[in-house]
Amino acid sequence: MTDVIILHGAWHQPAHYDDLANELRSRGLQLAVPDLYELSLDDSTALVEDIVAGADQPPLVLGHSFGGVTAATVRGTAGIVFLTAWLLDAGESPARLLAEVEQHDGAPPTGLALAPDATGRLAVDPDDARANLYGDVDDKAAARAVELLRPEPASVFAATPTRVSWRDVPSLYIAGSEDRAIPASLSARFAARCDSSQTWECSHSPFLSQTSAVADVVHEQLRSVRRQPPLA
């Protein structure tokens, strides 16, 4: 049985979410934290839908950052929590939305400092990651998180869903007031797409800085959606 599926963000991996996963398991929940590294959006969606199909009841999906792109496409879930996440509609891509922000603001949006590595993948500068991904995370946890980061192919910015499922299930968006990885205008747009939203005083990674609070929300959201009949 799987109650909750955690979908990691780009540059991240399942181990980044160990603290949150352990907190949720301590509350009696069964989890899946699949590794989506270098999978296409279609392949990521298929992998998660296989997990959903094997669950006794529809699970709740938590998508962090780019994990929200996959979360928004998976069918058969009980609901979705978008945690400082990208929430795309069909035909949208991160690159397209960032270009829209640049056109509106007249300057490129601030974000992560990325540089190609020897394989051509984009790596995050460690100092930049500390400041812009883990700004409110304690030093020990932030150092481990930085060490766990993996370079990503540039194609991550081109991920474009051809269909989405987020309109079909209850959804909650959690934005971070100190999030430096997603432009505030996009976070506001994503939040408006959900049934409900919250803004926390946090950086891009509240699963590390406010682990228990994230677990509280996930647990309550799961109880809530499982009390509700499926949407028609």
Side-chain angles (χ1 to χ4, degrees):
M1 178 175 179
T2 301
D3 298 302
V4 178
I5 303 172
I6 298 175
L7 301 183
H8 64 81
W11 295 282
H12 288 67
Q13 58 179 295
H16 278 96
Y17 305 83
D18 284 349
D19 289 349
L20 177 59
N22 290 335
E23 176 72 21
L24 291 169
R25 290 186 180 110
S26 75
R27 303 179 185 209
L29 299 179
Q30 300 295 314
L31 266 68
V33 192
D35 193 350
L36 308 180
Y37 188 54
E38 295 193 328
L39 295 181
S40 68
L41 179 55
D42 286 345
D43 287 344
S44 295
T45 300
L47 173 62
V48 181
E49 287 184 344
D50 283 346
I51 298 171
V52 171
D56 295 336
Q57 298 183 66
L60 181 76
V61 174
L62 170 72
H64 169 245
S65 196
F66 272 87
V69 177
T70 298
T73 66
V74 176
R75 294 168 291 193
T77 70
I80 309 171
V81 175
F82 294 96
L83 183 66
T84 56
W86 290 79
L87 199 181
L88 302 181
D89 205 348
E92 291 180 339
S93 69
R96 171 183 160 184
L97 296 187
L98 290 171
E100 289 178 5
V101 172
E102 180 174 359
Q103 182 176 21
H104 180 271
D105 295 347
T110 58
L112 298 177
L114 304 173
D117 66 6
T119 69
R121 296 176 178 85
L122 298 177
V124 183
D125 177 82
D127 291 337
D128 186 77
R130 178 67 177 101
N132 291 331
L133 292 177
Y134 313 117
D136 61 344
V137 178
D138 69 69
D139 288 340
K140 181 178 179 180
R144 176 177 183 267
V146 170
E147 289 178 357
L148 287 170
L149 291 172
R150 305 180 287 193
E152 289 276 0
S155 59
V156 67
F157 289 102
T160 307
T162 56
R163 61 162 175 83
V164 294
S165 59
W166 52 265
R167 291 188 181 87
D168 304 326
V169 295
S171 57
L172 167 66
Y173 193 92
I174 298 174
S177 62
E178 305 303 317
D179 188 351
R180 299 180 182 178
I182 299 179
S185 60
L186 290 182
S187 290
R189 187 190 306 189
F190 300 151
R193 291 174 169 176
C194 291
D195 297 313
S196 60
S197 64
Q198 302 174 11
T199 299
W200 292 11
E201 188 175 340
C202 67
S203 70
H204 189 62
S205 304
F207 62 94
L208 288 173
S209 62
Q210 301 186 36
T211 306
S212 293
V214 174
D216 287 343
V217 167
V218 170
H219 204 174
E220 177 54 37
Q221 196 75 358
L222 180 64
R223 287 197 297 258
S224 175
V225 296
R226 284 190 171 172
R227 287 196 296 264
Q228 296 174 357
L231 296 179

